[in-house]
Amino acid sequence: MSAASPLGPLFDTAPDLDTGVDLAPLLEASIERVSNVRFMPAAAPDPRKTLREHLSDVDAIADTIEAFDAENLTDEARNELAAMLLDAITGTKRKIDNSTQVLAMYEHLETAALAEGARLQLRAKRFARQRERLENYLIATIEQSGLKKLDGETSAIALRICPERVVIDDENAIPPAFLRIPAPPAAVPDKTAIKQAIAAGAVVDGAHVERGMRLVRS
């Protein structure tokens, strides 16, 4: 079964790719209907086009894609966005260049976000260590001073007795009755084994092998 079209209702009525139906006339008619343009010969870039105008074209694509994530998006609005996106990415070499730039931007942002997440986790742990170290020094200072409270100009610090807590000295020495055994993780499909089995001619219920498409920028 073919994957659902990212354009939503625009192409959802297209016949399944496995039926052998030629989709070229249908796709061409759909594109002509929603954008009122056909694929045109590549136009030479306009030397008078400014950098600001070029960036605005790239921003238009990114803004349109961003709008798809809006909450409570109606089918009518989704169709309109799909038509706008088709018009923005098809027709000229410049539009292809704009599209590849947006793809590259998303790839860089994704990589940066993942790296930033890991960096922020390390930063949070470092701040936690520093906070704990300072707290320990302040506790020791108050205890050595013999006072219950130390006042500053605009703030104060004091000691409070904490509720009792259990400290584990040796986990291996804890009796079994006081151990919580976590439930085993849920089973997940072994896609490698499934692929090998299907390649060997076996039928695996609930799974199939398919070959999709991916974009390659050059």
Side-chain angles (χ1 to χ4, degrees), residues 11 16 32 42 56 71 92 97-98 111 113 136 145 154 158 184 196 206:
F11 296 154
D16 192 274
E32 182 179 12
S56 68
E71 297 182 358
T92 66
D97 291 340
N98 292 342
T111 301
N136 290 337
S145 69
T154 59
Q196 292 174 349

Side-chain angles (χ1 to χ4, degrees), residues 60-127:
I61 296 176
D63 290 342
T64 303
I65 295 176
E66 182 75 18
F68 275 98
D69 288 335
E71 297 182 358
N72 302 323
L73 190 64
T74 64
D75 289 342
E76 181 180 0
R78 187 176 297 276
N79 285 344
E80 183 177 353
L81 288 173
M84 293 171 58
L85 186 58
L86 278 173
D87 183 62
I89 66 178
T90 60
T92 66
K93 289 184 177 181
R94 177 175 58 80
K95 292 184 177 181
I96 297 300
D97 291 340
N98 292 342
S99 301
T100 59
Q101 289 186 57
V102 176
L103 283 174
M105 177 190 71
Y106 284 139
E107 289 179 358
H108 291 314
L109 289 175
E110 180 182 2
T111 301
L114 291 173
E116 185 70 2
R119 185 188 70 83
L120 289 177
Q121 287 185 353
L122 292 175
R123 187 174 176 85
K125 291 180 179 179
R126 180 167 64 88
F127 287 147

